[in-house]
Amino acid sequence: MKKRTIKSFILCLLAVMLCVTACGTAFASAGDRTVLRFKAVNGTMETWIYAACKVGDDFCVVMQEGGNGTVILRYTDPNGEPERFTMKQEMPEYVENGEFMPGEELAIGDEQAPGEEPAAEEPVKEEPAAEEPAAEAGISELSWDDLMAWDESAEDSQDPMPIGADEGFNWDDADMYEENSTYTNTDTWFGWKGDIYALAVTQNWRANTVDSIKIQRAKLEDGQFTLEDTELPELDHESIMSEMSDGYFSLGEPFTAGNYLIGTVYAGMSNKVCMIDLETGAAEFLDLGEINSITLGPDNSLVYARYDWQSSKCTICRADMKGGNEETLTEFDLANGTISLCYDPDTDMLYYTANGELNRMPQMDPAKAEAVNDCPMNYGRIVPLKDGFVVIWDSSTILRRNTDPAARGGITLRVANYTWDNELMSETSYDMGEKRGDVSVVTRVMDSYRQASTVVQDMMNKDGTTDIYLLSFDGSDFRALRNRGYLADLSDNAQLVENVERMYPYIQDALKQDGKLVCIPVMTTGESFSVNYDLWKRTGGTEEELPKTWDQFFDWLETLPERFAGQDVKICEEEFEYFTSTVMNTLIESYQVWMERKGEDFKFNTPVLNRLLSRLNGLDADRIGIKERSEDDDDYGYVVSYSYYQENNTLLSAWAQLPLNRYNSQGGHPMALSFAEDEDPVLPVHLNVACVNPFSEHAAEAKEFLALALNNLALADQYAFYSDHTEPVHYSYYEENRENMQKWLDELQKNYDEADEGEEKINAEEALKQQKDMMEMEEKYSWVMSPETLERFQKNLPSLKVMSRNIYDDITQSVEEADWAKVAPIGGGEGSLEDALKFIDEKIQMIRMEGN
Amino acid sequence: MYKKFRLAWPFLLPGLAGLLIFYGIPFVGGIWYSVTDGKVANEFVGLQNYISVWGNKMFQLGLGNTMELSLICAPLLFLLSFVLAAGLHRIRPAGAFFRSSVLMPYLMPSSAILLIWLLWFNYGGPVNRLIAAMGAARVDWLSGAQLRTPVVLLFLWKNLGFCVVIFMSALQSIPESLYEYATLEGASFMKQTFSITLPLVIPSAFLIAILSFVSAFRIFKEVYFIGGAYPDPPLYTLQNYMNNMYRDLNYQNVTTAAYIFAVIVFVLFGLLFLSQRQAMKRLNGGD
């Protein structure tokens, strides 16, 4: 009996333990959740967040939601469903937030208040026919910067507007064009006295000035909101703008302190703190030097972070509202300079996001500072909540995070990212959080240029603190790990293996060691020059005429000016120096890949490389029709003319992504060349990979995380890696645009059919033709992954090889100042090219003899 | 005596603990690294690493260059510092200024010194202009075997002061009365030097000899600043080899090379010790 009781007790105990273990995920999640998350659809972000701020006891989210315009979400309970408010349609369209929305054409230039009736003497011009397609033709996809850049260059170059920019305007009416140069943006939102406010900044984009800055209140009712004027005075925009370096005003990290609205503005070469008195409309500026984040501290002090790029150190400081009595609270290493601060006066707690974690500092005491949770965002801003949680947000995501370190997830995966891009890790962290509530992921972005890698030390110490490393495949760290067998075997994760099996052989070869899967690809980073195959064919060129070898390429370059004489074709938009430097890099990298493919030891002083480099250095800019850099040019290699984008008449470009040129609006693609006629062409691919620390205590979770990462790869990388990704993809707005353009085309066709003979018919025909051209352009340029890109990629596929080592870079980058002159001839500098190549070979010989 | 010894322990322990933790344990631990393969499993491979490192041409080159540089630098440093110390000892009291001055280079950071030396030895620098003014051809001091000259000079310039100070303290500790007595006895300067000065400074001289060699073995920073990880072969030192091995995670080869070198250094210092004893015996008349 007694034995049975004991047995039963043990069984019960085991059952309880099993339940606890099984429910561990739920227990350990500690209330962390992803409140909102928006992902790019076919490479396009359709929704993005302007702001998340505390409004009374609630917190509100202001976002731009695709076709719905601005939307406000009000959360009474962050765990519950929000109240949703869309912008009321009576709003004048020019007040659409942060977008260039031409809408009612006459209204754009007016300075009427929102909701105010148009003045009788300035009636709104009824042009429904012109207005409708403008708004629907995707004009909002064109950035303000594009327009401003065009505007600056237009006066000199007489270039037409960028594609799409003119679609919403009636350019025939020049006066109207002058009038339509103002718009109002409301990209600064803040909570104050229980309401949500926006700064409505009316700007003149032609004159590059700000005409007014108003504070407007969002009136929320019945699922809609309107921005209404308040009793608050209009801001003294002239005095504010006198501090700005250009005609643009936006307040970064806005917060309120009493009657003050405080935030950062870019003024000149650095940022300043702007303090706006909401009661009087006056603004004061405070120069605290270059600061990265600012918040209101205790006793009306300012708490801000400074970052020193040289030492990669971040300092959190505190000063009074005038910037006096500055004291340093703490200093710590921060790799990428991204930090965000927020002070919660209710709990006297300073929160800050840094190095992939949310940290807290009670009573502003650095000794008590500690990391409390993970923060996958790079630029996550913080809003404290009442329940011990905080909201962290960026433009695409809103997270709710517990600030109690004791409630943190059971397993913390630590990722050291030595590559420059962290988007993939952020996205995967969210997925991991959703899948495994008991696992939090802390990604630390390392500055590989300024910070020494700790990978070697970690391995020497058998340190499993970092679970995953993101490294460059051709870098010395990854090479050391691979050569010494310090890459964990990932083959026991079926999902990883299955994904990798779907990849092209050129990628698979790089990921395996002795038949085992040891890393996964996270990004391709190679660059090359590109050739506009589309233009080449349009101007009568054939595929056979294109060069196949490097020698032929240099011959071909010299034939181009003659071939295109009298035609509207530019050989290359970028400067000669930029172009030749890209060609040289591609040549040298291809050469190394070629040597590696042949299984030969690297040797640079060979007749073939000597000859090709001599030919490259001997190129004459005038002879091949590419302009040289002049002393007046400020931006090296910069494309200044927007005709480049519209006319598509440039044959060569100094920039193309390898292995697959995702930015191919010009039909430009990398060219695979060989080193001899009987040899296969080669194209070098640079790869960033993720691998698992063999000493990690959470290897299974790390592999699970990597499997999720493969689902979040950038679209171009998915196409570059996966052999089953072969279908072209349109931008997400394509179908909608296409439909609207077709409707408009039908309308114009109808107008044309009904038009009387004579001028009306001619005009209708012209309009019809323009619309057809526009649709043709839309068909051509609305691809995220175009058929031509994929076709060219497939052609280049046999030539692709992942670079396992860029020994040339290793050597030239380690060359000290005293030896610079010795390698200069390789880049066209003075001296003997042969001696320079011999110098490189000597170093290679030493490396080889060392056994590395 | 026993009581005194027990009293000494509390004073000795902190130092001994530091010595054990920071030198003893890593030294023994390093031996383990040098006999394992360095892979994740870290299997025992016996003396295989020693055989492969000893046979590596770059190790041989580095070791050879390090020994050559040491055999040039250390004796030069020893001699120059003795001569300079003797000279400064003679010109008292004005020597105080010079005694302080000679120590200045020792206090300066190598990188700063190097910049100055690079300027001096640049192809168009003052040294070459002086050579050209004398009618000789300019020399490319900063590449190839010629680079050894500025490296050796830089080493001497930097370390001379420290050795001079030690020599001078040894010289100053010799009672003047001994020289006065010897002078009264009719001993010549050479006799005084060999019978009084040298026997009394030999313990300090031995220390300086050891320090000179240790400093010379450590010639690396200067070479690395000028030539990087792979300088011209005549300047490639053993530390270049170790540094490059460490960068590539091959710490088996780092430790192996270090122990091979340590054995060579022990032998060298043993010889020095023996020669010191012999010299002392000879100078003290066979005692």
Side-chain angles (χ1 to χ4, degrees), chain A residues 485-486 816 822 843 850 852, chain B residues 38 40 226 230 236 244 248 251:
Chain A
Y486 281 96
E816 296 297 320
K822 291 181 183 170
K843 304 294 171 194
E850 270 182 351
N852 289 326
Chain B
V40 181
I226 298 172
Y230 295 96
Y236 182 92
N244 296 341
D248 288 326
Y251 44 86

Side-chain angles (χ1 to χ4, degrees), chain A residues 66-82:
Chain A
N68 293 325
T70 308
V71 172
I72 295 178
L73 303 177
R74 187 167 68 192
Y75 288 84
T76 310
D77 172 14
N79 279 324
E81 284 301 308

Side-chain angles (χ1 to χ4, degrees), chain B residues 9-215:
Chain B
W9 272 111
F11 297 99
L12 285 173
L13 264 177
L16 286 176
L19 205 66
L20 184 73
I21 293 167
F22 298 111
Y23 289 92
I25 294 173
F27 188 85
V28 176
I31 293 173
W32 169 246
Y33 277 129
S34 71
V35 291
T36 53
D37 69 354
K39 302 279 169 68
V40 181
N42 212 24
E43 289 171 4
F44 179 76
V45 290
L47 294 177
Q48 199 178 306
N49 292 331
Y50 286 88
I51 294 165
S52 76
V53 167
W54 185 254
N56 186 287
K57 285 187 178 168
M58 292 310 286
F59 172 79
Q60 290 169 2
L61 177 70
L63 181 66
N65 284 340
T66 301
M67 297 307 287
E68 272 181 43
L69 277 171
S70 304
L71 290 171
I72 296 167
C73 291
L76 266 176
L77 181 66
F78 184 87
L79 282 174
L80 282 173
S81 56
F82 180 71
V83 170
L84 200 60
L88 288 172
H89 186 62
R90 290 255 159 188
I91 58 169
R92 288 179 294 180
F97 169 74
F98 295 105
R99 282 196 297 276
S100 308
S101 304
V102 288
L103 206 56
M104 288 306 287
Y106 190 74
L107 304 174
M108 288 176 72
S110 293
S111 52
I113 295 171
L114 193 75
L115 285 175
I116 298 164
W117 280 74
L118 283 177
L119 282 174
W120 274 65
F121 283 90
N122 191 285
Y123 196 75
V127 174
N128 264 337
R129 269 188 262 164
L130 193 67
I131 291 171
M134 291 191 298
R138 291 183 184 218
V139 181
D140 185 4
W141 294 109
L142 301 179
S143 66
Q146 296 91 312
L147 187 55
R148 281 187 175 187
T149 309
V151 166
V152 169
L153 289 175
L154 175 60
F155 171 82
L156 292 175
W157 182 72
K158 187 171 164 57
N159 293 286
L160 199 60
F162 183 70
C163 296
V164 166
V165 168
I166 297 175
F167 260 131
M168 282 193 65
S169 66
L171 289 171
Q172 282 167 2
S173 67
I174 302 171
E176 272 303 306
S177 54
L178 288 178
Y179 291 105
E180 285 165 9
Y181 183 74
T183 309
L184 289 172
E185 290 290 315
S188 65
F189 173 74
M190 291 302 285
K191 184 73 181 166
Q192 286 180 26
T193 302
F194 280 94
S195 300
I196 302 172
T197 310
L198 281 180
L200 290 175
V201 298
I202 271 185
S204 299
F206 176 70
L207 176 70
I208 289 168
I210 297 285
L211 288 176
S212 303
F213 272 105
V214 168
S215 302

Side-chain angles (χ1 to χ4, degrees), chain A residues 72 263 328 396 423 429 445 447 537 598 730 773 802:
Chain A
I72 295 178
T328 299
S396 66
E423 188 66 27
S429 300
V445 181
D447 187 338
K537 283 178 191 164
K598 290 204 306 183
H730 277 292
D773 288 348
V802 177

Side-chain angles (χ1 to χ4, degrees), chain A residues 456-457 459-460 462 480-481 483-486 694-695 814 816 818 822 839 842-843 846-847 849-850 852, chain B residues 33 37-40 56-58 143 225-226 228 230-233 236 244-246 248-252:
Chain A
V456 174
Q457 286 90 329
M459 295 303 120
M460 283 181 77
K462 298 184 186 292
L481 293 181
N483 291 346
R484 308 295 297 168
Y486 281 96
F695 306 111
S814 68
E816 296 297 320
K822 291 181 183 170
F839 176 82
E842 192 178 78
K843 304 294 171 194
M846 291 172 86
I847 292 171
M849 281 165 66
E850 270 182 351
N852 289 326
Chain B
Y33 277 129
D37 69 354
K39 302 279 169 68
V40 181
N56 186 287
K57 285 187 178 168
M58 292 310 286
S143 66
F225 283 143
I226 298 172
Y230 295 96
D232 285 341
Y236 182 92
N244 296 341
M245 288 293 125
Y246 176 80
D248 288 326
L249 207 62
N250 197 339
Y251 44 86
Q252 269 56 37

